[in-house]
């Protein structure tokens, strides 16, 4: 959940600056504190709590540096708990992503050997372990041995100031190496070095990598044996990872959906055909994911049911008790923007273990889930920098809509419907819609509770709508299936309680409007998000009438409302408190 970035043999000899700029691009992975160690024969270290975006530091000229942005798990948010952590002799610097589950036992042994600890983190143990191992081993062996002593899913990077070398090991948390012109990068994902190279090596679990001035070597940290390097080219442009004149990544990515949703109709056609065939052969279909991605699978369940296809879906964190139902006749479909979410990876490994055919629906390139899967849908939404997922959600949902259509023999019609969304979105997702939602946000910015109702396909739509408001504005917003109202929820309604009603012109229309009437009768303020006017609505944000696909535009209203409520309440829309873009620990 943290961000790691290092450079070795910086051709501009400004390694500190290079790492600082790179960490700013990784900040969505954690923004409690940050730190950088520059190798200027002796380690020059700067560590600070808070966001890095405004940071300015006078670094000594150097060719090698290592940095970290932190999402605190062990040890509070403080300067001494910020990474990197050093050994007693201040010769090596360690940054870490993950949780060392046996850190207390290891620490007790090291304290008994007179090692002095300065922080409350699990990470600092690693620096002292390596220092202890260096008494009898080479730097590489000392790092690999220390990594073998750790329990839990971890990724580490270690800078040795004596040799200007960075060694890194992976078991669980993501790592990628960038191969530049005689300069070498190590990072948690590709965004920090995209401007300098697109030639990458994705590090697998069990691999260790040595970055030195003379080049990069890959090893197996369990056996110490050398391994062959497999390079890939990333097709992302640096511009994609910039705001393009928008004040925040979130609003930029919301508006990008005019392009990212329709373009899914040209993607994954081979994969869609393969999966549709497997579904038609009555293989069982189970899906799992977390957060927004889970709501995507929930909405997909309705698209599939509408075509007579039964699919079960689980929050990945609750899938294991049901994994035993997987077998060789099971298609296990995992949805994940990052492809690195720990609970989703665990569910995927378990389903695969049971013999299931694993399908991954991912956005970020080269992820662990992508490499684990038997069939991969890359939804092509481009870099999603804002922590709050938007364009990845709609691109993943459009991809699954196309699978349902193909399985029902309507593949071509389905692609045409998704392609036609380009025109609809270009006419609707415009300034005047944003103005309407800004006016609406102004009436809600002081509210502490907001409820969202949906029925059938608009129930997962309502869940995603509520999540967007929670994540960006910190307002308690809760979604319910409208049928749940009379079974308890309606007790929450009082005078002027804001209650959104997400609807489409479908068979659920009558029921959802009568639920709206019941809430209105108790004094609730009904805000309709629908392609039609209704007397039950006190306010209406009218959305295009595009049948089943109306859920896409209804959710986009929630994305925009979340954004403007967040801005209105002074929150950082791109980096909401307590959250991180990819949750790589359970
Ligand atoms: C969504 O806005 C959140 N960032 C979060 O719920 C996210 O969807 C969840 O953590 C799953 O992430 P993934 O898609 O990368 O697996």
């Amino acid at each position: 959940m943290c961000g790691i970035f290092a450079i070795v043999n910086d051709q501009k000899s400004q390694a500190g600056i290079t790492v600082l700029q790179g960490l700013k691009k990784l900040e969505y992975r954690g923004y409690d504190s940050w730190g950088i160690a520059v190798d200027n024969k002796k380690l020059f270290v700067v560590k600070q709590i808070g966001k890095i975006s405004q940071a300015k530091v006078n670094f000594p000229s150097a060719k090698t540096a290592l940095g970290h942005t932190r999402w605190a798990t062990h040890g509070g948010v403080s300067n001494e708990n910020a990474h990197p952590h050093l050994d007693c002799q201040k010769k090596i610097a360690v940054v870490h992503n993950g949780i060392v589950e046996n850190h207390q036992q290891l620490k007790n042994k090291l304290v008994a050997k007179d090692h002095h600890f300065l922080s409350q983190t699990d990470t600092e143990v690693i620096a002292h372990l390596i220092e202890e191992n260096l008494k009898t081993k080479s730097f590489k062996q000392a790092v690999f041995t220390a990594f073998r002593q750790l329990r839990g899913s971890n990724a580490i990077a270690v800078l040795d100031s004596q040799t200007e070398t960075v060694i890194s090991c992976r078991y669980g948390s993501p790592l990628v190496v960038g191969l530049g012109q005689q300069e070498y990068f190590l990072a948690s994902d590709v965004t920090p070095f995209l401007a300098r190279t697109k030639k990458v090596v994705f590090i697998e679990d069990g691999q260790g990598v040595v970055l030195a001035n003379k080049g990069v070597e890959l090893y197996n940290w369990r056996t110490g044996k050398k391994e062959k390097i497999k390079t890939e080219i990333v097709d992302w442009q640096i511009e994609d990872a910039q705001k393009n004149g928008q004040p925040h990544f979130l609003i930029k990515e919301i508006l990008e959906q005019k392009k990212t949703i329709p373009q899914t109709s040209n993607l994954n056609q081979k994969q869609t055909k393969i999966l549709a065939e497997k579904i038609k052969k009555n293989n069982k279909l189970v899906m799992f994911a977390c957060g927004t991605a889970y709501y995507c699978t929930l909405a997909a369940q309705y698209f599939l049911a509408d075509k007579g296809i039964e699919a079960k879906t689980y929050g990945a964190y609750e899938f294991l008790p049901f994994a035993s139902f997987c077998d060789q006749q099971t298609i296990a479909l995992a949805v994940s923007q990052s492809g690195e979410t720990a609970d989703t990876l665990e569910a995927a490994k378990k389903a695969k273990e049971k013999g299931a055919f694993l399908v991954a629906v991912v956005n970020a390139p080269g992820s662990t889930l992508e490499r684990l899967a038997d069939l991969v849908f890359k939804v092509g939404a481009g870099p999603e920098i804002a922590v709050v997922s938007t364009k990845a959600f709609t691109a993943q949902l459009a991809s699954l809509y196309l699978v349902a259509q193909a399985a029902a023999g309507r593949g071509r019609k389905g692609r045409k419907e998704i392609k036609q969304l380009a025109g609809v979105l270009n006419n609707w997702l415009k300034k005047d819609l944003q103005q309407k939602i800004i006016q609406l946000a102004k009436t809600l910015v002081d509210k502490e509770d907001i409820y969202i109702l949906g029925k059938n396909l608009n129930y997962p739509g309502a869940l995603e709508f509520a999540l967007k408001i929670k994540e960006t504005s910190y307002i308690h917003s809760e979604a319910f299936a409208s049928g749940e109202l009379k079974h308890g929820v309606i007790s929450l309604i009082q005078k002027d309680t804001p209650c959104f009603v997400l609807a489409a012109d479908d068979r659920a229309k009558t029921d959802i409007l009568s639920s709206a009437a019941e809430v209105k009768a108790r004094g609730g303020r009904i805000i309709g998000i629908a392609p039609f006017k209704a007397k039950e609505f006190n306010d209406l944000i009218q959305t295009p009438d595009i049948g089943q696909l109306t859920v896409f535009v209804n959710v986009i209203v929630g994305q925009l409302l979340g954004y403007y409520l967040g801005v209105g309440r002074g929150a950082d829309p791109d980096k909401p408190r307590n959250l991180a873009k990819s949750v790589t620990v359970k």
Side-chain angles (χ1 to χ4, degrees), residues 290-293 335-339 341 387-389 467-468 471 581 583:
C290 299
T292 283
V335 176
S336 176
Q337 189 289 127
S338 61
T341 300
V387 168
V388 173
S389 184
L467 181 58
K468 296 302 102 168
E471 291 185 286
K581 184 64 182 171
V583 182

Side-chain angles (χ1 to χ4, degrees), residues 31 143 148 203 283 321 342 378 437 451 474 495 513 534 572:
Y31 28 89
V143 173
R148 287 194 290 269
I203 307 301
N283 283 296
K378 293 181 185 174
I437 295 176
Y451 300 104
Y474 317 142
K495 186 160 178 358
L513 288 179
D572 178 340

Side-chain angles (χ1 to χ4, degrees), residues 223-253:
T223 62
K225 285 215 173 54
K226 212 167 181 174
E227 295 197 349
K228 200 169 162 330
I229 287 184
K230 199 163 62 51
T231 63
E232 295 174 43
I233 302 298
V234 169
D235 62 359
W236 275 2
Q237 308 311 316
I238 186 67
E239 297 72 41
D240 297 340
Q242 288 162 345
K243 291 182 192 143
N244 295 359
Q246 293 291 342
H248 299 101
F249 282 107
L250 183 54
I251 187 67
K252 176 240 179 184
E253 290 162 5

